[in-house]
Amino acid sequence: MKQVYIGLGSNLGVPATQLHQAIDRLAALPDSQELSLSPWYKTSAVGGPPDQPDYLNAVCSLQTDLSPEHLLTALQAIESEAGRERTIRWGPRTLDLDIIWYEQVELATSRLTLPHPRAHLRAFVLQPLLDLNADFLLHDMALQAWRDAVDGQNIQQV
């Protein structure tokens, strides 16, 4: 099984409920096990339209035998079930699930880039990753160094 880190976020509807439901669905994925979850964080939107509601974010780790493509398809199905609509890039959403990192895979297709191309720029990804694995390297650099570089981003543990 491969180690995977998945980012979770929501800023529409009832974010805590949607994230709990997503976590339940992630825990039930076929050929997967050992779901661990970071603390939850309230964060301001990064990019997209101004005046979005704050996000509720977390990161989970998962062991899976699903390929990156099959995992992405499963994540998008979970998002769709939560009412996710893809109309505005970086716009508000009921649920956002991103593969941040997939063990031993570097990939760049029209559908999926691994590791996630902007994870190292976002405190709402870096801090929960640090909570799960402080020794983890992203793009061959320590998470804490990336986190220090984005220290000005608004993030608050809830």
Side-chain angles (χ1 to χ4, degrees):
M1 292 199 142
K2 300 291 186 181
Q3 178 76 34
V4 178
Y5 290 104
I6 299 169
L8 301 92
S10 175
N11 73 338
L12 291 179
V14 183
T17 298
Q18 286 146 192
L19 292 184
H20 279 296
Q21 290 170 347
I23 292 161
D24 290 344
R25 295 274 297 150
L26 290 168
L29 285 174
D31 302 316
S32 303
Q33 63 187 20
E34 294 187 37
L35 182 71
S36 298
L37 184 66
S38 74
W40 296 32
Y41 290 89
K42 181 179 174 182
T43 64
S44 300
V46 175
D51 301 322
Q52 291 187 54
D54 287 341
Y55 277 83
L56 188 59
N57 291 101
V59 169
C60 73
S61 65
L62 183 69
Q63 297 282 326
T64 190
D65 280 332
L66 295 174
S67 70
E69 294 81 8
H70 285 115
L71 179 59
L72 178 62
T73 297
L75 297 182
Q76 289 177 339
I78 294 168
E79 289 176 337
S80 291
E81 290 172 10
R84 168 82 186 263
E85 296 179 6
R86 297 178 184 276
T87 55
I88 301 171
R89 184 173 179 155
W90 297 323
R93 56 202 74 169
T94 55
L95 183 62
D96 186 31
L97 301 173
D98 289 324
I99 304 172
I100 305 301
W101 182 83
Y102 190 106
E103 183 178 353
Q104 297 178 343
V105 173
E106 289 187 21
L107 182 69
T109 69
S110 60
R111 192 165 175 238
L112 180 60
T113 300
L114 294 171
H116 190 285
R118 291 170 299 283
H120 65 288
L121 303 173
R122 296 177 170 166
F124 66 83
V125 172
L126 296 168
Q127 187 58 56
L129 271 174
L130 273 166
D131 294 330
L132 289 175
N133 184 351
D135 297 324
F136 182 71
L137 298 177
L138 184 61
H139 303 296
D140 297 321
M141 195 162 123
L143 283 179
Q144 188 61 57
W146 289 119
R147 178 65 181 96
D148 291 346
V150 297
D151 193 40
Q153 293 180 12
N154 183 18
I155 180 169
Q156 178 184 9
Q157 188 173 341
V158 293

